[in-house]
Amino acid sequence: GGGKEPDLKRRRRLDAGGPVEDDETARQKMRDAQVYERGVEGNYEEYVGFDPDNVRDVKSMEEEDEDTHASHAVTPMGYFAWKGDLPMMRWLYVNGADTRDEDVANYFPMLLAAFYG
């Protein structure tokens, strides 16, 4: 008890604003995301997913992104906003994801949620 402040992750879970994806499912969704590696000339539909241990991972929405162009970059938060997956976005938030990223030029979470989610 006492007046001890809850740790950051617990405090963020309390403030997430609704249901949060369970950890096992969220980690699988990260691995299954239909995104491409940056800095390589990939092949269509040969997805690499996001690293489930890195909620700030940056991948590409385009298979041919050998120049790592910022206009193709997407973070997990932007990707799941595009999918309209609010429990997953809450899981990302609870685990430290941010909606502000200098590496992303077009695929911002709020823009993707407004257009697609």
Side-chain angles (χ1 to χ4, degrees):
K4 185 178 176 191
E5 178 89 10
D7 65 26
L8 178 61
K9 187 172 179 178
R10 184 166 184 271
R11 189 169 65 245
R12 290 188 96 174
R13 184 174 302 278
L14 295 172
D15 296 337
V20 177
E21 191 67 80
D22 71 87
D23 197 59
E24 184 178 338
T25 302
R27 295 175 71 73
Q28 188 61 52
K29 285 182 176 184
M30 290 281 282
R31 287 187 288 271
D32 292 344
Q34 295 179 350
V35 293
Y36 300 95
E37 198 63 62
R38 298 184 76 207
V40 298
E41 185 175 334
N43 296 312
Y44 182 66
E45 293 188 349
E46 287 185 10
Y47 306 115
V48 296
F50 289 109
D51 176 355
D53 295 319
N54 181 4
V55 297
R56 295 175 186 228
D57 198 5
V58 180
K59 297 294 186 195
S60 178
M61 293 291 281
E62 301 292 328
E63 70 272 12
E64 294 182 9
D65 189 24
E66 55 276 356
D67 60 356
T68 62
H69 200 275
S71 66
H72 299 155
V74 67
T75 61
M77 187 68 83
Y79 178 82
F80 290 104
W82 173 53
K83 295 291 189 179
D85 192 339
L86 195 52
M88 186 63 190
M89 293 172 66
R90 290 183 183 122
W91 180 87
L92 290 164
Y93 169 76
V94 165
N95 285 282
D98 195 342
T99 59
R100 301 162 294 172
D101 195 319
E102 297 85 33
D103 293 329
V104 176
N106 294 335
Y107 295 106
F108 292 107
M110 185 61 78
L111 176 76
L112 293 167
F115 279 111
Y116 304 104

